[in-house]
Amino acid sequence: KTRTFGERHPSALHTRGELGMHLARRGRLVEAEPHLRAVYDGRVEMLGQAHPDALRSLDHVALCISDQGRHGEAESLHRQAHAMCIATCGVSHPQTLTVLHNLGVDLRRQGRHVEMEPLYREALDTVLALPGTAAERILHDMGQLLHEEKLRRGPPVAAASRAPHMV
């Protein structure tokens, strides 16, 4: 698609993002990061820094960095994405809640449970305040994320030896 449409075409960015996510899920994080960063840069260039697709791409970069153990850098990117999501999409937008969740995951990985808990409570309170159908959809999506995270972690013995979590 890159040769046909160019590197910044939405289809090329989507395909490159899928490649980056695939590599990350396979534990090939160093290979995945440049692809995920290129997708983020392309979406910022084409859509603007505050567009939900660009913010989702920034979250993917932060997750990849976190999975490499670079938690400080990942936390900074998650906080940046969260602030932009709130400003652009609002506190109850699914992307805002996803970034908030992933920030909490990064804090948990750093052992900062006291800081993590209010974030999870904020996300839950926000979801529960939504009208029925929206709340059900987001809770379902959050349940799917938790299920996928458990699958990625593998058996408890193996989880300590490999990088977890990539949404």
Side-chain angles (χ1 to χ4, degrees), residues 3 12 20 29 38 48 54 62 65 78 83 92 98 101 113-114 141 144-145:
R3 279 181 274 182
L29 301 168
I65 289 170
H78 277 129
S92 61
T98 298
H101 171 265
H113 300 281
V114 172
D141 291 349
Q144 287 295 107
L145 289 173

Side-chain angles (χ1 to χ4, degrees), residues 22 35 50 58 85 97 105 120 131 134:
H22 170 76
H35 292 288
L58 179 58
C85 280
L97 295 170
V105 167
Y120 281 172

Side-chain angles (χ1 to χ4, degrees), residues 29-157:
L29 301 168
V30 174
E31 287 179 75
E33 185 180 344
H35 292 288
L36 297 173
R37 283 188 183 274
V39 171
Y40 170 67
D41 292 341
R43 287 187 173 148
V44 166
E45 183 181 313
M46 300 304 291
L47 305 170
Q49 188 175 20
H51 191 279
D53 289 346
L55 295 172
R56 183 174 44 254
S57 296
L58 179 58
D59 187 49
H60 290 166
V61 171
L63 287 168
C64 184
I65 289 170
S66 177
D67 285 347
Q68 293 177 58
R70 295 162 39 205
H71 299 297
E73 186 180 351
E75 179 185 346
S76 176
L77 292 176
H78 277 129
R79 289 190 186 281
Q80 176 187 347
H82 185 244
M84 288 192 295
C85 280
I86 289 173
T88 304
C89 307
V91 295
S92 61
H93 190 277
Q95 186 59 40
T96 304
L97 295 170
T98 298
V99 171
L100 184 62
H101 171 265
N102 290 335
L103 172 58
V105 167
D106 203 51
L107 292 173
R108 184 186 73 225
R109 288 176 173 179
Q110 296 177 63
R112 294 164 56 192
H113 300 281
V114 172
E115 295 174 67
M116 174 204 72
E117 185 178 339
L119 299 180
Y120 281 172
R121 288 188 186 282
E122 177 185 337
L124 181 60
D125 290 345
T126 301
V127 170
L128 294 176
L130 294 173
T133 306
E136 289 170 15
R137 188 183 82 244
I138 291 174
L139 286 171
H140 177 266
D141 291 349
M142 290 174 88
Q144 287 295 107
L145 289 173
L146 290 172
H147 176 71
E148 290 174 16
E149 182 177 346
K150 286 180 183 178
L151 291 176
R152 278 189 291 277
R153 286 177 179 242
V157 175

Side-chain angles (χ1 to χ4, degrees), residues 13 38 62 88 124 154-155 161 166:
L13 290 172
T88 304
L124 181 60
S161 65
M166 176 53 78

